[in-house]
Amino acid sequence: MDVVTLRNAHLHAQVLPAIGGALARLDALAGGHPRTLLRPCELPAGAPDPTPSQLACFPLVPWSNRIGDGGFHFDGRRIDLAPNRAGEPFPIHGEGWQQPWQVVSRSNTSVALLLDRGGQSPFSYVARLCYALRGPLLEVTLEVRNDGNYALPFGLGLHPWLPRTEGVLLRAAARSVWRRGEDGLPSEPTDIPIEWDFSGARPLPEQAIDNVFSGWDGVAEIFWPESAQRLKITADMGYYIVYTRPGADFFCFEPVDHMINAHNLEGGPVRHGLSVLAPGQSLTRTVRFEVLAESMRYRR
């Protein structure tokens, strides 16, 4: 298994091209000692290759999260999609996370990956993924180009896994949150309850949460008071998903550019964040993970 290691004076990252193009870890190098920013994949020697869900972060392409109804209708066509994860009734997270990516170029501080799904059905596309260390931040750029013969709605995102400590705080302002039905799909938007209001830094809720927030301003901060570690996440996207469960030692904060099941929601896919790409057109999104100076006081 090829492991691409990236390192500069501030950060250390590992990328696994063959396993969904995913990150295996991201650490800050403050004071000469690595400190975990994203949940690391630490498997014993001789263990089988990890799955993407054991890793630190994986790309979401050509859509994020779930699509219900066995697919969707668009422009007079029925697009059928089969479930792609055991125990999950709906197709989830696109397919890029389940494919091996090819290394196009690499250096000590960056790697560019390619996923060629041209000729596949129903989504025919080429995706590019670049991880680049730039001082105290990791810049992740994800691009998709429609390589098919007709227009389709595309969406992008990232699925990071972060350590959930007893005191961890999250700040990520949004306008509304969507209720989640028993089928795991969003049912309707509602005002954000106080325990989920991350407009100021707030602990994660004790109960399980797997909901999409809309109207995000594209900036989030995570603070681990036990280590005084601070991480800023910025993205050119208007939605995020928070996932965690009671007793878990992790939580997911997923920047995405569209609603869960946006393909089937009333009003059409564009209204809910998806981008309709004609053949040959491309969509690019960028997410930055930035280590903030420990000496700066954290503001709730």
Side-chain angles (χ1 to χ4, degrees):
M1 179 175 58
D2 183 22
V3 179
V4 177
T5 298
L6 309 178
R7 182 185 294 269
N8 65 10
H10 305 274
L11 295 169
H12 165 251
Q14 290 182 330
V15 179
L16 304 181
I19 304 180
L23 273 172
R25 66 183 310 125
L26 177 65
D27 305 310
L29 300 178
H33 301 286
R35 292 186 177 180
T36 298
L37 295 172
L38 300 182
R39 181 193 65 175
C41 178
E42 296 176 339
L43 298 176
D49 289 347
T51 66
S53 294
Q54 293 175 292
L55 300 179
C57 180
F58 56 79
L60 304 172
V61 58
W63 74 84
S64 157
N65 212 274
R66 298 169 176 86
I67 297 178
D69 196 32
F72 60 98
H73 289 87
F74 181 76
D75 199 22
R77 296 184 178 89
R78 167 67 185 180
I79 308 299
D80 292 314
L81 295 167
N84 60 343
R85 186 171 73 181
E88 176 66 55
F90 304 123
I92 187 168
H93 296 328
E95 59 174 25
W97 65 294
Q98 296 176 315
Q99 305 297 324
W101 294 61
Q102 296 178 333
V103 175
V104 176
S105 64
R106 61 199 292 180
S107 70
N108 291 335
T109 57
S110 68
V111 62
L113 307 178
L114 177 71
L115 175 62
D116 189 345
R117 298 291 288 168
Q120 301 298 310
S121 179
F123 285 92
S124 175
Y125 64 93
V126 175
R128 297 180 185 274
L129 176 62
C130 181
Y131 297 99
L133 302 184
R134 306 188 190 283
L137 66 83
L138 168 66
E139 183 176 87
V140 185
T141 304
L142 181 59
E143 176 187 353
V144 63
R145 185 188 75 227
N146 184 355
D147 203 45
N149 296 320
Y150 49 85
L152 278 176
F154 284 76
L156 300 174
L158 289 185
H159 196 307
W161 306 69
L162 300 108
R164 179 170 183 174
T165 61
E166 183 176 353
V168 66
L169 301 172
L170 169 65
R171 182 179 71 82
R175 289 197 301 267
S176 61
V177 65
W178 283 66
R179 299 183 190 277
R180 183 177 185 269
E182 293 184 2
D183 58 3
L185 300 176
S187 57
E188 61 179 351
T190 185
D191 292 339
I192 300 174
I194 187 65
E195 63 271 20
W196 292 4
D197 183 3
F198 300 110
S199 57
R202 177 176 296 278
L204 295 167
E206 294 184 3
Q207 72 271 34
I209 177 174
D210 186 6
N211 293 75
V212 58
F213 293 72
S214 58
W216 180 37
D217 63 5
V219 180
E221 288 189 28
I222 297 98
F223 178 53
W224 293 273
E226 300 89 345
S227 61
Q229 191 80 345
R230 298 173 60 202
L231 178 66
K232 182 179 182 180
I233 301 176
T234 57
D236 52 353
M237 308 184 192
Y239 303 82
Y240 66 80
I241 299 166
V242 176
Y243 169 72
T244 190
R245 58 178 185 262
D249 61 358
F250 69 88
F251 71 101
C252 299
F253 178 86
E254 307 163 38
V256 296
D257 67 4
H258 62 282
M259 274 292 303
I260 297 172
N261 198 33
H263 303 73
N264 289 308
L265 291 180
E266 184 178 354
V270 173
R271 177 182 176 185
H272 298 286
L274 288 165
S275 297
V276 176
L277 300 183
Q281 288 186 324
S282 298
L283 170 68
T284 303
R285 300 295 185 191
T286 301
V287 181
R288 296 178 176 89
F289 300 88
E290 181 180 3
V291 180
L292 299 179
E294 293 180 357
S295 60
M296 296 174 61
R297 182 179 178 184
Y298 189 81
R299 296 181 180 179
R300 284 177 174 259

